[in-house]
Amino acid sequence: MQRADGRAPDQLRPINFEIGIAPHATASVLVAMGNTRVICGVMVEETVPRWMKEQGVSGGWLTAEYSMLPYSTQTRKPRDISKGKLDGRSTEIQRLIGRSLRAVVDLEKLGPRTMWIDCDVLQADGGTRTAAITGASVAVALACRRLVEEKKLSELPVAKLVGAVSTGVLEGVSVVDLNYEEDKLVTVDFNLVATEEGEFVELQGSGEEATFSQQQLDEMLVLGRRSICELIAAQRAVLAEVAPMG
Ligand code: UDP
C-alpha cells in the first residue's frame, strides 16, 4: 500500500497553528493539517442560555458552530443560509466539537458566561471535523487565559487539552489522518477524540460498504491515540510560544 502523498501509514500531515488571525475574537487559531485549514474563533459572552437560567443550572456554557466556506471545497458549496437550513452533516459536526470541548472545560469554573466556538473551514481536504477540534482546543485554552488576564476568572477553567484525528483502512492497511483522496477510498472511517491523558471523548467508526475486524479496530485505536499525543505535543508547543502566562 502506497499513500498518494508518500506518507507512512502512521504519519500525520504537517500541522500548523497560526494564532490571532481574528483580532476581535477572544482567541483565534487557524489550524492546518496538510491542506485542510480551519479557522477556530472563540468569543465569550457574559450571559448563559435561557434554559440554564430557567432550570437553575449554575456555571457557564460552551457551544460550537461549524461550517464550510463556499470556496473551501473543490466545487462551490452554497452557504446553508441560501437553503434556509443547516445541513445534517454540519449539525452533527458542531455538536461533536461542542461535546469534545465541554469534556475538558470546567463549566462551573467558567462562571455564568457562554463560550462560543466558531469553526469555519477555509480549505477542505479531509478531516475537517478533527482539525476543528484540535484547533478549537488551542483557541479555548487561549481564551481561558485571556479571561484570567482580564481578571474575570481567578483560575483557568480548562483542565486538559483535547485533540482529534481520523483513521481508516486503506487497501487493508490501517492509516492515520486521511486526506480527501484517501477518504474516498477507505473501507473504514474512524474518527477519534481524546485528551492529553489518553482518555477518549468520542469514537466515531463506520464501515463504508465494508466491515472491519477487531484487529483493525485495535490497530486504528493505537494509531489514533499515538497521533493524538503528537497533536497535543504540537498544541503545547504553540501555547508555550505565545504564552504570556506560561
Ligand atoms: N467534502 C466536500 N464537500 C462536502 C462535504 C465533504 O468537499 O459537502 C470533502 C471535504 O474535503 C471533507 C471530506 O469530503 O474534508 C470528508 O468529509 P467528511 O464528511 O468525512 O468530514 P471530514 O473528514 O471533513 O471531517
Side-chain angles (χ1 to χ4, degrees):
M1 194 274 313
Q2 181 70 31
R3 298 182 79 169
D5 58 8
R7 276 185 293 152
D10 62 352
Q11 194 178 349
L12 290 167
R13 293 177 287 181
I15 177 150
N16 189 56
F17 300 98
E18 197 178 326
I19 306 294
I21 53 132
H24 288 304
T26 311
S28 60
V29 174
L30 172 60
V31 59
M33 295 280 298
N35 291 328
T36 286
R37 296 195 295 152
V38 184
I39 303 165
C40 306
V42 174
M43 278 194 122
V44 178
E45 283 182 347
E46 295 295 314
T47 171
V48 291
R50 186 143 61 116
W51 64 265
M52 285 183 73
K53 291 183 206 154
E54 284 170 0
Q55 293 176 25
V57 178
S58 63
W61 189 240
L62 180 153
T63 190
E65 293 198 356
Y66 165 97
S67 80
M68 297 176 100
L69 288 163
Y71 44 81
S72 66
T73 46
Q74 289 171 14
T75 51
R76 185 174 186 275
K77 186 176 164 66
R79 292 181 195 271
D80 286 333
I81 192 74
S82 63
K83 288 180 265 163
K85 66 173 172 64
L86 195 64
D87 75 35
R89 176 180 172 274
S90 298
T91 309
E92 176 200 321
I93 294 177
Q94 66 190 28
R95 294 183 65 204
L96 170 68
I97 300 168
R99 286 194 300 274
S100 300
L101 272 298
R102 282 196 294 276
V104 292
V105 172
D106 185 329
L107 296 175
E108 208 54 59
K109 284 189 189 156
L110 182 62
R113 47 180 64 87
T114 299
M115 193 169 264
W116 288 91
I117 305 172
D118 283 290
C119 298
D120 288 282
V121 179
L122 188 60
Q123 192 175 350
D125 186 27
T128 61
R129 77 192 66 198
T130 50
I133 292 165
T134 303
S137 177
V138 172
V140 165
L142 291 171
C144 290
R145 281 183 186 174
R146 178 112 176 243
L147 292 175
V148 173
E149 276 163 30
E150 290 174 354
K151 309 229 180 312
K152 288 184 178 149
L153 289 179
S154 56
E155 61 175 320
L156 288 172
V158 55
K160 311 166 199 175
L161 293 168
V162 63
V165 79
S166 68
T167 63
V169 176
L170 195 60
E171 294 171 32
V173 180
S174 300
V175 296
V176 76
D177 193 21
L178 314 170
N179 63 24
Y180 182 49
E181 285 307 309
E182 294 176 324
D183 191 272
K184 287 189 294 191
L185 298 173
V186 288
T187 51
V188 184
D189 195 353
F190 190 54
N191 290 303
L192 300 91
V193 185
T195 69
E196 57 187 297
E197 285 157 9
E199 297 167 301
F200 295 114
V201 181
E202 187 143 340
L203 303 172
Q204 294 187 332
S206 32
E208 304 275 357
E209 296 167 36
T211 56
F212 55 104
S213 65
Q214 175 79 49
Q215 192 194 328
Q216 286 172 325
L217 174 63
D218 293 344
E219 282 169 11
M220 288 186 288
L221 283 170
V222 170
L223 269 184
R225 269 181 72 163
R226 211 187 292 147
S227 304
I228 290 173
C229 283
E230 278 180 50
L231 293 172
I232 289 178
Q235 291 172 332
R236 273 192 195 296
V238 75
L239 285 167
E241 235 172 72
V242 296
M245 302 188 28

